[in-house]
Amino acid sequence: EDSFQSLYIMGELSLDGGIHRIKGALPIALHAFDRGFQGFILPKENAKEAGIVHDLKVYGVETLRQLVDFLLGEVVLAFFEVDIAMEFKRAQHQLSYDFSDVKGQLNIKRALEIAAAGGHNVILIGPPGSGKTMLAKRLPSILPPLSLPEAIETTKIHSVAGKLPGSTALITERPFRNPHHTVSDVALVGGGSNPQPGEISLAHNGVLFLDELPEFKRAVLEVLRQPLEDRKVSISRAKL
């Protein structure tokens, strides 16, 4: 029917008829809106994530039967709509770690404050247990709060990577990524046989912390040079 032409439908169908969550629901929803679609049907687990796109009716379904009944007009589904301004304002000041929790350590706190103000990189040197990781985790709390465009941009990256919690519609806190020193160069910079964002991209608008830096493989550290110099990640692949 003509009404079906205005619906964008996407989901992962399991053998028992269930509809499971997908990666990249937010970028897909934005694409559907840009293409002129009026509605978007997707897994219910992704509905809140896609619901931040205004003027696009987002319907969440859990089974193929539910989808068919909806398309036949036998059931009515309420569409998900997220008040993005309210969601952003409510969660913006909910911090996982707060810099004000740190007692003492005045010199390193001053150094981190200067780094946060100027957008500089920092090397933390000290014996085990001196608080390097504890301080690094709290660095995002003294960075400027995410703006709404930055929050949407960050959410899109985590959505594509499939790392956005089902209960979260919008990432409002600057990301903190702490990959293990055994991480591969592909996992750090991104790519792979099915290209995915790497830790560098997941830390976009936030902090990338490399604990025990000398323990990282040389090839992994080498791939950091170009992003640090150019402030962007470029991936060239033989096959796409």
Side-chain angles (χ1 to χ4, degrees):
E1 295 182 8
D2 292 341
S3 59
F4 294 170
Q5 302 300 318
S6 64
L7 292 174
Y8 202 95
I9 304 174
M10 185 163 286
E12 182 180 324
L13 179 63
S14 67
L15 294 176
D16 64 357
I19 308 294
H20 296 310
R21 67 176 299 150
I22 58 174
K23 294 180 180 180
L26 176 55
I28 294 170
L30 291 167
H31 173 74
F33 176 72
D34 291 340
R35 293 288 298 274
F37 289 91
Q38 298 177 6
F40 184 21
I41 303 176
L42 77 169
K44 193 171 183 178
E45 294 177 84
N46 295 112
K48 189 174 182 181
E49 172 188 348
I52 69 174
V53 182
H54 284 195
D55 300 322
L56 181 69
K57 292 184 177 180
V58 175
Y59 301 93
V61 295
E62 297 179 285
T63 64
L64 182 61
R65 179 75 265 171
Q66 189 179 25
L67 171 62
V68 172
D69 290 343
F70 173 68
L71 294 176
L72 292 176
E74 296 179 4
V75 297
V76 177
L77 296 177
F79 59 88
F80 283 77
E81 187 174 14
V82 177
D83 187 337
I84 189 171
M86 183 63 69
E87 181 87 8
F88 183 68
K89 183 178 180 181
R90 178 185 62 81
Q92 193 174 25
H93 300 292
Q94 295 179 358
L95 301 174
S96 301
Y97 300 95
D98 198 326
F99 204 70
S100 63
D101 295 336
V102 183
K103 309 302 179 186
Q105 302 275 22
L106 297 181
N107 288 338
I108 181 61
K109 285 165 70 175
R110 176 61 176 159
L112 290 176
E113 288 166 1
I114 294 171
H120 305 301
N121 300 308
V122 181
I123 293 180
L124 303 178
I125 301 173
S130 58
K132 300 184 297 295
T133 302
M134 179 269 294
L135 282 157
K137 284 182 178 179
R138 286 160 173 78
L139 181 57
S141 70
I142 60 172
L143 294 173
L146 279 176
S147 65
L148 186 54
E150 285 179 327
I152 294 175
E153 184 180 44
T154 304
T155 303
K156 287 167 64 177
I157 295 172
H158 284 250
S159 174
V160 168
K163 297 186 180 296
L164 194 64
S167 60
T168 302
L170 190 68
I171 291 178
T172 57
E173 185 179 350
R174 291 193 179 274
F176 178 83
R177 302 297 301 181
N178 182 14
H180 193 262
H181 62 78
T182 58
V183 67
S184 68
D185 51 350
V186 171
L188 185 67
V189 78
S193 55
N194 294 313
Q196 289 286 308
E199 291 292 336
I200 293 176
S201 297
L202 293 170
H204 182 56
N205 289 324
V207 174
L208 176 64
F209 178 58
L210 302 181
D211 199 7
E212 302 295 344
L213 186 66
E215 300 294 331
F216 282 76
K217 290 178 288 187
R218 178 175 181 141
V220 173
L221 296 178
E222 281 293 321
V223 300
L224 280 172
R225 286 196 305 117
Q226 179 262 334
L228 283 171
E229 292 173 2
D230 299 342
R231 296 187 176 272
K232 65 180 181 180
V233 178
S234 299
I235 300 173
S236 299
R237 293 186 48 80
K239 297 180 181 179
L240 288 176

